Amino acid sequence: MKAFVVRSYGSPDVLELTDVDRPVPGDREVLVRVRATSVQPYDWHHMRGEPYVARLMPGTLGLRAPKIGVLGADVAGHVEAVGGNVTGFRPGDEVYALVAQGGFAEYVCVPEDRLAPKPKNLSFEQAAAVPLAGVTALYGLCDRGWMRSGQRVLVNGASGGVGTFAVQIAAALGATVTGVCGTRNLDLVRSLGADEVVDYTVQDFTRLGRRYDLLLDVAGGRSAWACRRALASKGTYVAVGGPQGRWLQPAGHVFAAAAMSPVVSQRMVMADVYASTEHKRSLMTLTGLIEAGEVAPVIDRSLPFDDIPAAVAYQEDGHATGKVVIEVR
C-alpha cells in the first residue's frame, strides 16, 4: 500500500510517499480502507519534533527521530477485514476513528473499541474532519471542563478545528457561548451558535471585565494567569493547546495551567485527549449530535492524497478555518 512515512524530524519535505506492507489486523482489530483523513497541529508537531522539551518525555516524541512512522490521527473509510474476535463490525461497514497513528496511508488497523459507525449524513471527507478535533472539544468541555447547561463558556480559538466543534457542542448542550477569533471569521463563529464574538485583533478578552464559568483555550495567545481575569471565582480554565514554540510552547502553556491549579480558586486543567480511554463513546456522542443537525464539521479545504505535505504546511501556518481534509482515492 501507499503511505507517507516520516523517518526524521524536519519540514513537510520529510514526509515521503512510499510503498509499505499492508497491515494485518490482530484478533480485536479492524482493517480499515482509508477513504479520507485530515491534518492538524498534532501532525506537524510530531513531524517537527517540537516543542523540543517533549522529546525528553516518555511516550511522546522520540529524542532524535520520530516514534511515529506514519502520521495521521483521523480516519474515515470502510471495513476491509476484521480480526478473529471482532463482533461489532464486518467488511463493508462505513466507519470513522481517532487513532494514534497511521491515517496517512491507504489502510490502517484500528482496535475495535476505538472505531465507530460513520455518521450517516456525512461523506467520508466530512467524517474525516471530526475525530481528533471533535473528540478533543467534547473532552475539554465535558470531561475536563465539567460543562453544564446554562453556563457561560468562552472558546479562545473558535475558528480552528477544535474551536469550531467546541462552539457548536457548547451551544447544543445549552451553554451561552462566546467565541474569540480573528476579524475574517466573526460571521462564521456567530453562525456556529456563538451568542457573542470577540475579535482578538481589536480586543483582549481577558480585559473586558466579563467572567465565564468555563474557558476553553485552544489558541493560547494569552497566558494562563491572564486568562484567570476572565474566569468566575469558581470557574474552570481548560488548556487544549497554545502558541507555536520550538522549546516550550505549547507544552509550557498547558503545564502552567496544571501547576497553577492548587494555588488559585479556579480549576486550571489541561486536556490531553489521548489520556482518555473513551474515544468510541465520544465518537458515538458526536455522531448523535451530527445526525441531529446540531453539529457539523467546518472544512477549510480538501486536497488529494499526494498533497499531504502541502496540506501539513498549510496547517502549520496556523490560518486554516476549521479542518484541512485529505481524500484518499
Side-chain angles (χ1 to χ4, degrees):
M1 70 173 186
K2 296 290 187 182
F4 275 93
V5 176
V6 54
R7 296 184 172 90
S8 62
Y9 291 129
S11 72
D13 292 337
V14 302
L15 296 168
E16 177 189 354
L17 181 59
T18 187
D19 289 308
V20 299
D21 292 336
R22 183 188 300 186
V24 177
D27 283 347
R28 298 187 180 277
E29 289 185 325
V30 174
L31 178 66
V32 176
R33 169 68 167 95
V34 182
R35 295 288 303 277
T37 183
S38 72
V39 302
Q40 45 229 331
Y42 174 89
D43 298 310
W44 65 257
H45 277 298
H46 280 266
M47 178 191 74
R48 293 280 186 183
E50 299 173 1
Y52 293 151
V53 69
R55 299 189 191 185
L56 305 175
M57 300 165 59
T60 53
L61 306 177
L63 182 59
R64 294 183 176 84
K67 287 185 176 180
I68 294 178
V70 179
L71 298 171
D74 290 335
V75 170
H78 62 258
V79 174
E80 184 78 8
V82 299
N85 292 328
V86 171
T87 58
F89 299 95
R90 59 184 181 182
D93 287 350
E94 297 183 348
V95 294
Y96 70 153
L98 167 55
V99 295
Q101 59 182 306
F104 291 176
E106 292 178 319
Y107 294 88
V108 64
C109 284
V110 182
E112 182 183 15
D113 61 1
R114 288 180 174 264
L115 199 63
K118 178 181 73 67
K120 295 181 176 62
N121 57 338
L122 295 187
S123 66
F124 286 114
E125 289 77 16
Q126 291 171 316
V130 176
L132 183 54
V135 172
T136 298
L138 187 67
Y139 180 69
L141 290 170
C142 299
D143 294 79
R144 300 296 284 154
W146 301 348
M147 192 193 76
R148 300 185 303 277
S149 177
Q151 286 190 321
R152 296 159 297 171
V153 175
L154 182 139
V155 179
N156 182 31
S159 62
V162 175
T164 51
F165 280 105
V167 169
Q168 295 178 81
I169 292 167
L173 298 181
T176 300
V177 184
T178 296
V180 180
C181 61
T183 308
R184 69 186 178 96
N185 290 316
L186 295 174
D187 289 340
L188 167 69
V189 172
R190 192 177 288 111
S191 74
L192 296 176
D195 300 280
E196 179 186 29
V197 290
V198 176
D199 185 343
Y200 73 82
T201 69
V202 177
Q203 296 176 302
D204 179 351
F205 71 88
T206 71
R207 296 188 177 277
L208 295 179
R210 300 165 194 165
R211 300 283 183 141
Y212 300 92
D213 302 299
L214 172 59
L215 196 163
L216 187 74
D217 193 6
V218 184
R222 298 290 183 271
S223 69
W225 189 264
C227 287
R228 290 188 60 236
R229 292 194 294 262
L231 279 180
S233 61
K234 298 296 183 181
T236 299
Y237 170 87
V238 180
V240 174
Q244 298 179 23
R246 290 188 172 184
W247 288 99
L248 190 59
Q249 293 176 323
H253 189 75
V254 296
F255 293 152
M260 288 166 56
S261 194
V263 297
V264 298
S265 62
Q266 297 102 334
R267 288 180 67 240
M268 312 287 288
V269 300
M270 55 184 177
D272 175 7
V273 72
Y274 283 104
S276 169
T277 60
E278 299 294 334
H279 292 170
K280 182 169 185 174
R281 175 182 61 83
S282 297
L283 287 171
M284 297 298 290
T285 299
L286 289 166
T287 295
L289 292 169
I290 290 167
E291 292 184 345
E294 296 181 299
V295 171
V298 175
I299 296 175
D300 182 292
R301 60 189 60 188
S302 182
L303 297 172
F305 184 67
D306 289 355
D307 287 349
I308 280 181
V312 173
Y314 177 71
Q315 173 62 246
E316 188 178 8
D317 284 341
H319 299 296
T321 299
K323 296 299 299 293
V324 178
V325 172
I326 303 298
E327 301 176 46
V328 185
R329 298 297 185 187

